[in-house]
Amino acid sequence: MFPDSLSDQEVLAYGRTLCRTKDRDEQGATLTRAGSAWPARGADPWDLVYVCPEIVGATHPELLRSTTETEAANTAYIAEENAKCRDPWPRTKDVVQATAKYFLFADGDHGYLVHDPGDEAADEAAERAMDKVYDDRTLIGVAGSAVLIGHVEDVIDLCLTVKAFRTAPPRRTAGWDQVNEVLVVSRSGRLTVPYMGEGGEVGAGAPMPNLAIAGKGRYRLRVYVRVDDAGEEQHLVVVFPGASRKRLELKP
């Protein structure tokens, strides 16, 4: 925000001035006087909270929370978001399942993985799956033990349900916008979706089960996607043993 030539005292003085500014234009003028490389950016509340907490805290009280308070608030928020998601197949019997909010990257540019985290080439497989989504402009990218599933709307989170079956369940495409099925391989006997975990920002809001219920081997992975009237995106991922290599567009 400030050039390296300014002393600490000068930086703090400009910071206190920014605390007193009325709007973004006034902040930009202050930063221009300071020799800032990006005056149009203005000052984020995070930039000023340690300089004038009494001013920033009046409009952004969450920035004054202790670590414990922040963690409690985050936990409550995630639980609240998870509770908004519902199982779209509540009456369909399965072996394991979970439903949670999946938090994407802040820019919403990435999807989520269903992968084998125990595969020695897990990272490489994930990268190749991501490349296929971008290069082929497709919803699903597959690379061995990793499947990257994108999203159809410009969202930063979505509702995700995962289910594992011992045999292929009915296709039941009615009510869904897209239904696709691909092959995925479990080399270690695991297939799961990354969990956001404590302090994380990206991932499922709750731990996801192991979907490779038959151990190591090949599985079919079916993805259901729809967007409701409120613009909320819902995904259902169904996994079951199967060796076919075909990519099926059950509902393009």
Short mmCIF file of all heavy atoms in Angstrom, two decimals, residues 32-77:
data_model
loop_
_atom_site.label_atom_id
_atom_site.label_comp_id
_atom_site.label_asym_id
_atom_site.label_seq_id
_atom_site.Cartn_x
_atom_site.Cartn_y
_atom_site.Cartn_z
N THR A 32 -2.65 8.61 -2.72
CA THR A 32 -1.88 9.26 -3.79
C THR A 32 -0.82 10.17 -3.19
O THR A 32 0.34 10.18 -3.64
CB THR A 32 -2.82 10.08 -4.69
OG1 THR A 32 -3.75 9.20 -5.34
CG2 THR A 32 -2.03 10.83 -5.76
N ARG A 33 -1.18 10.95 -2.16
CA ARG A 33 -0.20 11.81 -1.49
C ARG A 33 0.93 10.99 -0.86
O ARG A 33 2.07 11.44 -0.80
CB ARG A 33 -0.89 12.66 -0.41
CG ARG A 33 -1.84 13.71 -0.94
CD ARG A 33 -2.17 14.76 0.12
NE ARG A 33 -2.76 14.16 1.31
CZ ARG A 33 -4.06 13.93 1.47
NH1 ARG A 33 -4.91 14.24 0.48
NH2 ARG A 33 -4.51 13.41 2.59
N ALA A 34 0.58 9.79 -0.43
CA ALA A 34 1.59 8.93 0.21
C ALA A 34 2.48 8.23 -0.80
O ALA A 34 3.47 7.61 -0.42
CB ALA A 34 0.89 7.90 1.10
N GLY A 35 2.14 8.32 -2.07
CA GLY A 35 2.94 7.67 -3.11
C GLY A 35 2.57 6.21 -3.30
O GLY A 35 3.38 5.42 -3.78
N SER A 36 1.32 5.85 -2.97
CA SER A 36 0.88 4.47 -3.11
C SER A 36 0.87 4.03 -4.57
O SER A 36 0.58 4.83 -5.47
CB SER A 36 -0.53 4.31 -2.51
OG SER A 36 -1.03 3.02 -2.78
N ALA A 37 1.16 2.74 -4.79
CA ALA A 37 1.17 2.21 -6.16
C ALA A 37 -0.25 1.90 -6.64
O ALA A 37 -0.47 1.72 -7.82
CB ALA A 37 2.02 0.94 -6.22
N TRP A 38 -1.21 1.79 -5.71
CA TRP A 38 -2.58 1.50 -6.12
C TRP A 38 -3.58 2.31 -5.28
O TRP A 38 -4.33 1.77 -4.47
CB TRP A 38 -2.88 0.00 -6.04
CG TRP A 38 -2.62 -0.65 -4.72
CD1 TRP A 38 -3.44 -0.69 -3.65
CD2 TRP A 38 -1.45 -1.39 -4.35
NE1 TRP A 38 -2.88 -1.40 -2.62
CE2 TRP A 38 -1.65 -1.85 -3.03
CE3 TRP A 38 -0.25 -1.70 -5.00
CZ2 TRP A 38 -0.69 -2.58 -2.34
CZ3 TRP A 38 0.69 -2.45 -4.31
CH2 TRP A 38 0.48 -2.88 -3.01
N PRO A 39 -3.63 3.61 -5.50
CA PRO A 39 -4.53 4.45 -4.71
C PRO A 39 -6.00 4.12 -4.90
O PRO A 39 -6.81 4.31 -3.99
CB PRO A 39 -4.21 5.87 -5.19
CG PRO A 39 -3.60 5.69 -6.54
CD PRO A 39 -2.83 4.40 -6.46
N ALA A 40 -6.36 3.63 -6.08
CA ALA A 40 -7.78 3.34 -6.33
C ALA A 40 -8.28 2.18 -5.48
O ALA A 40 -9.49 2.01 -5.30
CB ALA A 40 -7.99 3.04 -7.81
N ARG A 41 -7.36 1.37 -4.97
CA ARG A 41 -7.75 0.22 -4.15
C ARG A 41 -8.41 0.65 -2.86
O ARG A 41 -9.29 -0.03 -2.32
CB ARG A 41 -6.52 -0.63 -3.85
CG ARG A 41 -6.74 -1.76 -2.84
CD ARG A 41 -5.41 -2.44 -2.53
NE ARG A 41 -5.54 -3.47 -1.52
CZ ARG A 41 -5.54 -3.27 -0.22
NH1 ARG A 41 -5.46 -2.03 0.24
NH2 ARG A 41 -5.64 -4.27 0.63
N GLY A 42 -7.99 1.79 -2.33
CA GLY A 42 -8.50 2.22 -1.05
C GLY A 42 -7.89 1.40 0.08
O GLY A 42 -6.90 0.71 -0.10
N ALA A 43 -8.49 1.49 1.26
CA ALA A 43 -8.01 0.77 2.42
C ALA A 43 -9.07 -0.19 2.92
O ALA A 43 -10.21 0.23 3.20
CB ALA A 43 -7.60 1.74 3.53
N ASP A 44 -8.71 -1.44 3.03
CA ASP A 44 -9.62 -2.44 3.55
C ASP A 44 -9.68 -2.31 5.07
O ASP A 44 -8.70 -1.90 5.70
CB ASP A 44 -9.09 -3.83 3.16
CG ASP A 44 -10.08 -4.92 3.51
OD1 ASP A 44 -10.00 -5.43 4.65
OD2 ASP A 44 -10.91 -5.27 2.67
N PRO A 45 -10.84 -2.66 5.69
CA PRO A 45 -10.90 -2.61 7.16
C PRO A 45 -9.79 -3.40 7.84
O PRO A 45 -9.29 -2.99 8.89
CB PRO A 45 -12.28 -3.21 7.46
CG PRO A 45 -13.09 -2.88 6.26
CD PRO A 45 -12.14 -2.97 5.10
N TRP A 46 -9.36 -4.52 7.22
CA TRP A 46 -8.27 -5.30 7.80
C TRP A 46 -6.98 -4.49 7.85
O TRP A 46 -6.14 -4.70 8.72
CB TRP A 46 -8.04 -6.57 7.00
CG TRP A 46 -8.82 -7.75 7.49
CD1 TRP A 46 -9.82 -8.40 6.83
CD2 TRP A 46 -8.68 -8.42 8.74
NE1 TRP A 46 -10.31 -9.42 7.60
CE2 TRP A 46 -9.62 -9.45 8.78
CE3 TRP A 46 -7.84 -8.23 9.85
CZ2 TRP A 46 -9.76 -10.31 9.88
CZ3 TRP A 46 -7.97 -9.08 10.93
CH2 TRP A 46 -8.92 -10.11 10.94
N ASP A 47 -6.82 -3.54 6.89
CA ASP A 47 -5.60 -2.74 6.86
C ASP A 47 -5.52 -1.79 8.04
O ASP A 47 -4.44 -1.38 8.44
CB ASP A 47 -5.56 -1.92 5.55
CG ASP A 47 -5.52 -2.78 4.32
OD1 ASP A 47 -4.97 -3.89 4.40
OD2 ASP A 47 -6.06 -2.35 3.28
N LEU A 48 -6.68 -1.42 8.58
CA LEU A 48 -6.74 -0.33 9.58
C LEU A 48 -7.12 -0.79 10.98
O LEU A 48 -7.06 0.02 11.91
CB LEU A 48 -7.74 0.74 9.12
CG LEU A 48 -7.48 1.36 7.75
CD1 LEU A 48 -8.62 2.29 7.37
CD2 LEU A 48 -6.15 2.11 7.74
N VAL A 49 -7.51 -2.05 11.14
CA VAL A 49 -8.07 -2.47 12.42
C VAL A 49 -7.09 -2.32 13.58
O VAL A 49 -7.49 -2.03 14.71
CB VAL A 49 -8.59 -3.93 12.33
CG1 VAL A 49 -7.44 -4.90 12.12
CG2 VAL A 49 -9.39 -4.28 13.57
N TYR A 50 -5.78 -2.43 13.32
CA TYR A 50 -4.79 -2.30 14.40
C TYR A 50 -4.39 -0.83 14.62
O TYR A 50 -3.76 -0.52 15.63
CB TYR A 50 -3.54 -3.13 14.09
CG TYR A 50 -3.83 -4.62 14.09
CD1 TYR A 50 -3.86 -5.34 12.90
CD2 TYR A 50 -4.08 -5.29 15.28
CE1 TYR A 50 -4.13 -6.69 12.90
CE2 TYR A 50 -4.35 -6.64 15.29
CZ TYR A 50 -4.38 -7.35 14.10
OH TYR A 50 -4.66 -8.68 14.10
N VAL A 51 -4.75 0.02 13.67
CA VAL A 51 -4.42 1.44 13.81
C VAL A 51 -5.53 2.18 14.56
O VAL A 51 -5.26 3.01 15.43
CB VAL A 51 -4.19 2.09 12.42
CG1 VAL A 51 -3.84 3.56 12.56
CG2 VAL A 51 -3.11 1.35 11.66
N CYS A 52 -6.76 1.88 14.20
CA CYS A 52 -7.90 2.55 14.85
C CYS A 52 -9.01 1.53 15.11
O CYS A 52 -10.06 1.58 14.45
CB CYS A 52 -8.41 3.70 14.00
SG CYS A 52 -8.69 3.27 12.25
N PRO A 53 -8.81 0.60 16.03
CA PRO A 53 -9.82 -0.43 16.29
C PRO A 53 -11.16 0.13 16.72
O PRO A 53 -12.20 -0.45 16.43
CB PRO A 53 -9.18 -1.28 17.40
CG PRO A 53 -8.15 -0.39 18.02
CD PRO A 53 -7.63 0.46 16.91
N GLU A 54 -11.15 1.28 17.41
CA GLU A 54 -12.42 1.85 17.87
C GLU A 54 -13.27 2.34 16.71
O GLU A 54 -14.51 2.33 16.79
CB GLU A 54 -12.15 3.01 18.85
CG GLU A 54 -11.58 4.28 18.23
CD GLU A 54 -10.11 4.19 17.84
OE1 GLU A 54 -9.48 3.17 18.19
OE2 GLU A 54 -9.61 5.11 17.19
N ILE A 55 -12.64 2.74 15.60
CA ILE A 55 -13.38 3.21 14.42
C ILE A 55 -13.81 2.02 13.57
O ILE A 55 -14.97 1.90 13.19
CB ILE A 55 -12.52 4.19 13.60
CG1 ILE A 55 -12.24 5.46 14.42
CG2 ILE A 55 -13.21 4.55 12.28
CD1 ILE A 55 -11.32 6.44 13.73
N VAL A 56 -12.86 1.14 13.27
CA VAL A 56 -13.17 -0.02 12.43
C VAL A 56 -14.18 -0.94 13.13
O VAL A 56 -15.09 -1.48 12.51
CB VAL A 56 -11.88 -0.79 12.09
CG1 VAL A 56 -12.21 -2.09 11.35
CG2 VAL A 56 -10.96 0.08 11.24
N GLY A 57 -14.02 -1.11 14.44
CA GLY A 57 -14.90 -2.01 15.18
C GLY A 57 -16.34 -1.57 15.19
O GLY A 57 -17.25 -2.39 15.37
N ALA A 58 -16.58 -0.27 14.99
CA ALA A 58 -17.96 0.23 14.99
C ALA A 58 -18.75 -0.32 13.81
O ALA A 58 -19.97 -0.52 13.91
CB ALA A 58 -17.95 1.76 14.96
N THR A 59 -18.09 -0.54 12.68
CA THR A 59 -18.77 -1.05 11.49
C THR A 59 -18.43 -2.50 11.18
O THR A 59 -19.14 -3.17 10.44
CB THR A 59 -18.41 -0.18 10.27
OG1 THR A 59 -16.98 -0.11 10.14
CG2 THR A 59 -18.98 1.22 10.43
N HIS A 60 -17.32 -3.00 11.72
CA HIS A 60 -16.89 -4.39 11.49
C HIS A 60 -16.51 -5.03 12.82
O HIS A 60 -15.34 -5.32 13.07
CB HIS A 60 -15.71 -4.44 10.51
CG HIS A 60 -16.01 -3.93 9.14
ND1 HIS A 60 -16.01 -2.59 8.84
CD2 HIS A 60 -16.35 -4.58 8.00
CE1 HIS A 60 -16.32 -2.44 7.56
NE2 HIS A 60 -16.54 -3.64 7.04
N PRO A 61 -17.48 -5.27 13.69
CA PRO A 61 -17.16 -5.82 15.01
C PRO A 61 -16.50 -7.19 14.96
O PRO A 61 -15.78 -7.57 15.88
CB PRO A 61 -18.53 -5.89 15.70
CG PRO A 61 -19.53 -5.89 14.59
CD PRO A 61 -18.93 -5.04 13.52
N GLU A 62 -16.73 -7.93 13.86
CA GLU A 62 -16.13 -9.26 13.76
C GLU A 62 -14.60 -9.21 13.72
O GLU A 62 -13.93 -10.18 14.08
CB GLU A 62 -16.65 -9.98 12.51
CG GLU A 62 -16.16 -9.44 11.17
CD GLU A 62 -16.93 -8.22 10.68
OE1 GLU A 62 -17.80 -7.73 11.43
OE2 GLU A 62 -16.66 -7.78 9.56
N LEU A 63 -14.04 -8.04 13.32
CA LEU A 63 -12.58 -7.93 13.25
C LEU A 63 -11.95 -7.77 14.63
O LEU A 63 -10.73 -7.87 14.76
CB LEU A 63 -12.19 -6.74 12.37
CG LEU A 63 -12.64 -6.81 10.91
CD1 LEU A 63 -12.09 -5.63 10.12
CD2 LEU A 63 -12.21 -8.11 10.26
N LEU A 64 -12.77 -7.51 15.64
CA LEU A 64 -12.24 -7.34 17.00
C LEU A 64 -12.41 -8.60 17.84
O LEU A 64 -12.08 -8.60 19.02
CB LEU A 64 -12.96 -6.17 17.69
CG LEU A 64 -12.84 -4.80 17.00
CD1 LEU A 64 -13.52 -3.74 17.86
CD2 LEU A 64 -11.39 -4.44 16.75
N ARG A 65 -12.91 -9.66 17.23
CA ARG A 65 -13.11 -10.89 17.98
C ARG A 65 -11.77 -11.53 18.36
O ARG A 65 -10.79 -11.43 17.62
CB ARG A 65 -13.91 -11.90 17.16
CG ARG A 65 -15.36 -11.53 16.94
CD ARG A 65 -15.99 -12.49 15.96
NE ARG A 65 -17.40 -12.19 15.70
CZ ARG A 65 -18.05 -12.61 14.63
NH1 ARG A 65 -17.44 -13.34 13.72
NH2 ARG A 65 -19.33 -12.29 14.48
N SER A 66 -11.78 -12.20 19.49
CA SER A 66 -10.60 -12.98 19.88
C SER A 66 -10.53 -14.22 19.00
O SER A 66 -11.48 -14.55 18.27
CB SER A 66 -10.71 -13.40 21.35
OG SER A 66 -11.78 -14.32 21.51
N THR A 67 -9.41 -14.93 19.04
CA THR A 67 -9.27 -16.16 18.27
C THR A 67 -10.35 -17.16 18.64
O THR A 67 -10.96 -17.80 17.77
CB THR A 67 -7.89 -16.78 18.52
OG1 THR A 67 -6.88 -15.84 18.12
CG2 THR A 67 -7.71 -18.06 17.71
N THR A 68 -10.63 -17.29 19.93
CA THR A 68 -11.66 -18.22 20.39
C THR A 68 -13.03 -17.82 19.87
O THR A 68 -13.81 -18.66 19.40
CB THR A 68 -11.68 -18.27 21.93
OG1 THR A 68 -10.40 -18.70 22.40
CG2 THR A 68 -12.75 -19.25 22.41
N GLU A 69 -13.32 -16.53 19.93
CA GLU A 69 -14.61 -16.04 19.44
C GLU A 69 -14.75 -16.25 17.94
O GLU A 69 -15.82 -16.60 17.44
CB GLU A 69 -14.78 -14.56 19.79
CG GLU A 69 -14.95 -14.29 21.28
CD GLU A 69 -14.89 -12.81 21.61
OE1 GLU A 69 -14.23 -12.06 20.85
OE2 GLU A 69 -15.50 -12.41 22.62
N THR A 70 -13.66 -16.01 17.22
CA THR A 70 -13.67 -16.20 15.76
C THR A 70 -13.91 -17.65 15.40
O THR A 70 -14.71 -17.97 14.51
CB THR A 70 -12.36 -15.71 15.15
OG1 THR A 70 -12.19 -14.32 15.42
CG2 THR A 70 -12.34 -15.93 13.64
N GLU A 71 -13.23 -18.56 16.08
CA GLU A 71 -13.39 -19.98 15.81
C GLU A 71 -14.82 -20.42 16.10
O GLU A 71 -15.42 -21.19 15.34
CB GLU A 71 -12.40 -20.79 16.64
CG GLU A 71 -10.96 -20.63 16.19
CD GLU A 71 -9.98 -21.34 17.10
OE1 GLU A 71 -10.42 -21.86 18.16
OE2 GLU A 71 -8.78 -21.41 16.76
N ALA A 72 -15.39 -19.94 17.22
CA ALA A 72 -16.76 -20.30 17.58
C ALA A 72 -17.75 -19.77 16.53
O ALA A 72 -18.70 -20.46 16.15
CB ALA A 72 -17.11 -19.75 18.95
N ALA A 73 -17.51 -18.54 16.07
CA ALA A 73 -18.39 -17.95 15.06
C ALA A 73 -18.30 -18.72 13.74
O ALA A 73 -19.31 -18.97 13.08
CB ALA A 73 -18.03 -16.49 14.85
N ASN A 74 -17.08 -19.11 13.36
CA ASN A 74 -16.90 -19.88 12.12
C ASN A 74 -17.58 -21.24 12.21
O ASN A 74 -18.22 -21.69 11.26
CB ASN A 74 -15.41 -20.06 11.83
CG ASN A 74 -14.74 -18.77 11.37
OD1 ASN A 74 -15.42 -17.84 10.96
ND2 ASN A 74 -13.43 -18.72 11.44
N THR A 75 -17.43 -21.89 13.36
CA THR A 75 -18.06 -23.20 13.55
C THR A 75 -19.57 -23.09 13.45
O THR A 75 -20.24 -23.92 12.82
CB THR A 75 -17.66 -23.78 14.92
OG1 THR A 75 -16.25 -23.96 14.96
CG2 THR A 75 -18.35 -25.12 15.16
N ALA A 76 -20.13 -22.05 14.08
CA ALA A 76 -21.58 -21.84 14.03
C ALA A 76 -22.04 -21.54 12.61
O ALA A 76 -23.10 -22.03 12.17
CB ALA A 76 -21.96 -20.71 14.97
N TYR A 77 -21.25 -20.75 11.89
CA TYR A 77 -21.61 -20.40 10.51
C TYR A 77 -21.62 -21.64 9.62
O TYR A 77 -22.55 -21.86 8.84
CB TYR A 77 -20.63 -19.37 9.96
CG TYR A 77 -20.78 -19.11 8.49
CD1 TYR A 77 -21.85 -18.36 8.00
CD2 TYR A 77 -19.86 -19.63 7.57
CE1 TYR A 77 -22.00 -18.14 6.64
CE2 TYR A 77 -20.01 -19.41 6.21
CZ TYR A 77 -21.07 -18.66 5.75
OH TYR A 77 -21.23 -18.44 4.41
#
